Amino acid sequence: MSKLVIVGTVAFDAIETPFGKTDKILGGAATFIGLAASQFNVDASVVSIVGGDFPQEYLDLLANKNIDISGVEIVKEGKTFFWSGKYHNDMNSRDTLATELNVLADFNPVVPTNYRDSDIVMLGNLHPNVQLSVLEQMNTKPKLVILDTMNFWMDCALTELLNVISKVDVITINDEEARQLTGEYSLVVAARKIHGMGPKYVVIKKGEHGALLFHKDNVFFAPALPLEEVFDPTGAGDTFAGGFAGYLAKTEDVSFENMKNAVIYGSTLASFCVEKFGTERMTDLKSKEVHQRLQEFKNLTQFDIELT
Amino acid sequence: MSKLVIVGTVAFDAIETPFGKTDKILGGAATFIGLAASQFNVDASVVSIVGGDFPQEYLDLLANKNIDISGVEIVKEGKTFFWSGKYHNDMNSRDTLATELNVLADFNPVVPTNYRDSDIVMLGNLHPNVQLSVLEQMNTKPKLVILDTMNFWMDCALTELLNVISKVDVITINDEEARQLTGEYSLVVAARKIHGMGPKYVVIKKGEHGALLFHKDNVFFAPALPLEEVFDPTGAGDTFAGGFAGYLAKTEDVSFENMKNAVIYGSTLASFCVEKFGTERMTDLKSKEVHQRLQEFKNLTQFDIELT
């Protein structure tokens, strides 16, 4: 089984949706990525930073999923990164109500020594220089480096972002961000331009409209499961990335063919994530449920046209 | 092989897109539906109306595809229905520049006698009472009645629309129209409500985001092929419906399992339609090209996760 190292935020979120609102609850990209990857019982380590206000029970929750948290720095006198947002009625758009960087402002990630030979590196959404620093700490060349990012860094740290993008194998990005990064409306053309920036694999996430995986002239599409109701989209993209990375780590196969399965797993896990607030659905998710939903994805997408 | 009768407009379109603009060219729902269905060499008849200004070569074009046009009434002293529209840069929205009903204002469709026992009836977008009149002319109960409609009739003829909807087996509708018809944002919930209005099968078209087929608690998804460039979306929805109806007519199998293949064929043919202006791409489309693109759809969607 491959080792997986994940860098990203471990944070407090406060979320408001048409269905209700939360106080400060467990959130953060690395949290969602780690919880999704833990479905595959891989040897995963989360590298992050929290403040003295971060509850031990949240750390225990990750540790109990067999996630190594020795790389989570605790700044006793500091406060944990906090994000607050409010979703509109269509659940596709949201307003950020508050972003308090707190300890994240001075985050210098340290990859635990025994994870510096990880096969797979998952760079969750963070300042590109922080992502780069994790990459530079690896003692051996990883089999696969996956990067997630967002439009914020395109606006305010584009040079640094392009630098780290040039060093990764896979980028996961949403459709609007792919358009912003390339200036192209067509996602096919955008993916080709991003290939030219470095990544051999480009995953474009389209939220409720699924995700596209591009590699050279090949493309694969994983739909999102049509749901009666999306309760809270927070963390869905990170859960997708965590499922993708976790499946690849478990199967030790980073071929394009196997990545198709990985995006289906990512989409499957994301379909659970949105059913409850924050991490609630992911923390008690049973493998039997995942198995059953994979069958739903098969029913949703598989057809039988004979081509001779 | 099943007989297929199609009612809808045969018309002039004038189209403007970011790529260019056309004079009056061949258009109309029944035209696109018929051209798509003709790919399956089915015994299809188009019921429509045109004016004396309609070129014989356009009628010949349909007849040369083995489409029966004896049900296309020609009003010598009248003018053909004309629609003109301009697409915005994202190709997902458009402005209607002109709608001249002309002969369509007094359209009383007459189904040719030898098509009143058709197995499949495709009711293209028209006033619901015109659609109903075609249904009432059938001598035998069709195996399958498919209805396409649009938001315009929800706004101005809702009672009549609900009446004809209650009498059909399949409805094809786009996502915004499904939401308008039901007052539900979730397409899963909207489909369930539409089931309750009559149709056992509900197809929700999402344009570049593909199409969903609902039947009881089952759902199937056909993506749209990711394209480098959408040249002109006019007729894509009708082409989808024509491919759907044509495939079912050819295979004489209206089961849910076979409808999965039918929506894949519909999506495949629609992916060609948008490559050129109007009907241009559909009139010279070769079965070899269709076959090749079906393979692309397989590559796009089929994965290999073993579930035991």
Side-chain angles (χ1 to χ4, degrees):
Chain A
M1 186 168 302
S2 304
K3 274 193 223 174
L4 169 64
V5 66
I6 299 159
V7 65
T9 53
V10 171
F12 288 128
D13 285 348
I15 302 157
E16 191 171 340
T17 80
F19 300 105
K21 60 187 290 186
T22 70
D23 292 329
K24 284 187 178 183
I25 58 173
L26 174 61
T31 304
F32 284 102
I33 293 168
L35 286 173
S38 75
Q39 281 291 324
F40 301 96
N41 299 312
V42 292
D43 185 2
S45 178
V46 163
V47 177
S48 193
I49 189 167
V50 295
D53 57 345
F54 198 69
Q56 184 62 40
E57 62 171 292
Y58 285 169
L59 293 171
D60 292 345
L61 188 154
L62 296 175
N64 289 337
K65 296 279 180 187
N66 283 321
I67 299 167
D68 174 89
I69 53 168
S70 63
V72 180
E73 183 186 349
I74 303 171
V75 183
K76 286 274 175 246
E77 68 285 8
K79 285 180 70 184
T80 301
F81 172 56
F82 171 64
W83 176 81
S84 172
K86 179 179 175 169
Y87 289 89
H88 302 160
N89 279 328
D90 67 1
M91 287 294 202
N92 278 326
S93 53
R94 69 184 185 192
D95 293 327
T96 290
L97 303 179
T99 307
E100 298 172 12
L101 283 183
N102 299 328
V103 294
L104 199 64
D106 302 302
F107 178 33
N108 287 304
V110 179
V111 178
T113 317
N114 52 331
Y115 285 92
R116 294 190 179 185
D117 61 351
S118 289
D119 306 274
I120 299 190
V121 178
M122 174 73 230
L123 304 172
N125 176 42
L126 278 173
H127 191 292
N129 283 350
V130 175
Q131 296 177 314
L132 185 66
S133 142
V134 164
L135 217 46
E136 289 174 340
Q137 291 173 52
M138 303 307 289
N139 289 333
T140 56
K141 185 176 158 58
K143 264 164 72 177
L144 199 74
V145 179
I146 307 162
L147 175 130
D148 190 56
T149 188
M150 68 182 293
N151 52 357
F152 181 76
W153 309 114
M154 298 173 198
D155 295 333
C156 73
L158 183 60
T159 307
E160 297 91 330
L161 179 62
L162 290 174
N163 182 37
V164 70
I165 285 177
S166 76
K167 298 178 195 305
V168 307
D169 304 294
V170 185
I171 184 171
T172 69
I173 196 171
N174 79 28
D175 43 2
E176 285 318 310
E177 290 158 356
R179 287 173 175 139
Q180 180 175 345
L181 186 60
T182 62
E184 295 289 344
Y185 183 80
S186 160
L187 298 179
V188 175
V189 180
R192 192 186 304 137
K193 278 204 174 176
I194 299 172
H195 280 317
M197 298 174 185
K200 293 185 291 293
Y201 303 92
V202 177
V203 177
I204 299 182
K205 301 175 285 183
K206 304 198 296 171
E208 62 164 327
H209 299 303
L212 288 158
L213 165 66
F214 293 91
H215 173 56
K216 295 179 184 166
D217 290 334
N218 301 309
V219 53
F220 179 72
F221 178 72
L225 197 71
L227 294 169
E228 292 217 6
E229 133 185 329
V230 170
F231 192 84
D232 171 21
T234 309
D238 296 314
T239 299
F240 174 90
F244 179 80
Y247 179 79
L248 293 176
K250 181 193 171 194
T251 53
E252 301 184 302
D253 173 356
V254 298
S255 68
F256 177 67
E257 279 309 303
N258 198 48
M259 278 191 197
K260 293 182 178 182
N261 295 345
V263 295
I264 292 290
Y265 266 97
S267 201
T268 300
L269 293 177
S271 77
F272 287 107
C273 178
V274 302
E275 289 183 344
K276 293 191 178 176
F277 270 130
T279 60
E280 197 180 339
R281 188 68 179 91
M282 298 308 291
T283 50
D284 69 351
L285 184 60
K286 304 286 182 294
S287 65
K288 207 174 115 182
E289 296 174 299
V290 176
H291 191 277
Q292 193 177 333
R293 194 155 289 183
L294 280 169
Q295 185 61 55
E296 291 182 51
F297 268 87
K298 278 203 160 186
N299 296 344
L300 181 67
T301 57
Q302 305 300 286
F303 58 89
D304 190 25
I305 295 177
E306 282 295 325
L307 294 176
T308 48
Chain B
M1 188 170 302
S2 304
K3 274 194 223 172
L4 169 65
V5 64
I6 298 160
V7 63
T9 53
V10 171
F12 288 128
D13 285 347
I15 302 157
E16 191 172 340
T17 79
F19 300 104
K21 59 188 290 186
T22 72
D23 292 329
K24 282 186 179 183
I25 58 172
L26 174 61
T31 304
F32 284 102
I33 294 168
L35 286 174
S38 75
Q39 281 292 324
F40 302 95
N41 299 311
V42 292
D43 185 2
S45 178
V46 163
V47 178
S48 193
I49 189 167
V50 295
D53 57 345
F54 199 70
Q56 185 62 39
E57 61 171 293
Y58 285 169
L59 292 171
D60 292 346
L61 188 153
L62 295 175
N64 289 338
K65 296 280 179 185
N66 284 320
I67 298 167
D68 175 89
I69 54 167
S70 63
V72 180
E73 183 186 350
I74 302 172
V75 182
K76 286 274 176 243
E77 68 284 9
K79 285 179 70 184
T80 301
F81 172 57
F82 171 64
W83 175 83
S84 173
K86 178 178 177 170
Y87 290 88
H88 302 161
N89 279 329
D90 67 1
M91 287 292 202
N92 277 326
S93 53
R94 68 185 187 192
D95 294 328
T96 289
L97 302 178
T99 306
E100 298 172 10
L101 284 183
N102 299 328
V103 294
L104 199 65
D106 302 304
F107 179 34
N108 287 305
V110 179
V111 178
T113 317
N114 52 331
Y115 285 92
R116 294 190 179 185
D117 61 350
S118 288
D119 306 273
I120 298 191
V121 178
M122 175 74 230
L123 306 172
N125 176 43
L126 277 173
H127 191 292
N129 283 350
V130 176
Q131 295 177 313
L132 186 65
S133 143
V134 165
L135 217 46
E136 289 174 342
Q137 291 173 52
M138 303 307 290
N139 290 331
T140 55
K141 185 176 159 55
K143 264 165 71 177
L144 198 75
V145 179
I146 306 162
L147 176 132
D148 189 56
T149 189
M150 68 182 294
N151 52 356
F152 180 76
W153 309 114
M154 296 173 199
D155 295 333
C156 73
L158 183 60
T159 307
E160 297 90 330
L161 179 62
L162 290 174
N163 182 37
V164 70
I165 285 177
S166 75
K167 297 178 197 306
V168 308
D169 303 295
V170 185
I171 184 171
T172 69
I173 195 171
N174 79 29
D175 44 2
E176 284 318 310
E177 291 159 355
R179 286 172 175 139
Q180 179 175 344
L181 186 61
T182 61
E184 295 287 346
Y185 184 80
S186 160
L187 298 178
V188 176
V189 179
R192 192 186 304 137
K193 278 204 174 177
I194 299 171
H195 280 318
M197 298 174 184
K200 292 186 290 293
Y201 303 92
V202 177
V203 177
I204 299 182
K205 300 174 287 184
K206 303 198 297 170
E208 62 164 327
H209 300 302
L212 288 158
L213 165 66
F214 293 91
H215 172 56
K216 296 179 184 165
D217 290 333
N218 301 309
V219 55
F220 178 72
F221 177 73
L225 197 72
L227 295 170
E228 292 216 9
E229 136 184 324
V230 170
F231 191 83
D232 172 19
T234 309
D238 296 314
T239 300
F240 174 90
F244 179 80
Y247 179 79
L248 294 176
K250 180 193 173 195
T251 53
E252 301 185 302
D253 173 356
V254 297
S255 68
F256 177 69
E257 279 308 304
N258 198 47
M259 278 189 197
K260 293 181 178 181
N261 295 346
V263 296
I264 293 289
Y265 266 97
S267 201
T268 300
L269 293 176
S271 78
F272 287 107
C273 178
V274 303
E275 289 183 345
K276 293 191 179 176
F277 270 129
T279 60
E280 197 180 339
R281 188 67 179 90
M282 299 309 291
T283 50
D284 69 352
L285 184 60
K286 304 286 182 293
S287 64
K288 206 174 114 183
E289 295 174 299
V290 176
H291 191 278
Q292 192 177 335
R293 193 154 291 183
L294 279 169
Q295 186 61 55
E296 290 182 51
F297 268 87
K298 278 203 160 187
N299 296 344
L300 181 67
T301 58
Q302 306 301 286
F303 58 89
D304 190 26
I305 296 176
E306 282 295 324
L307 294 175
T308 49

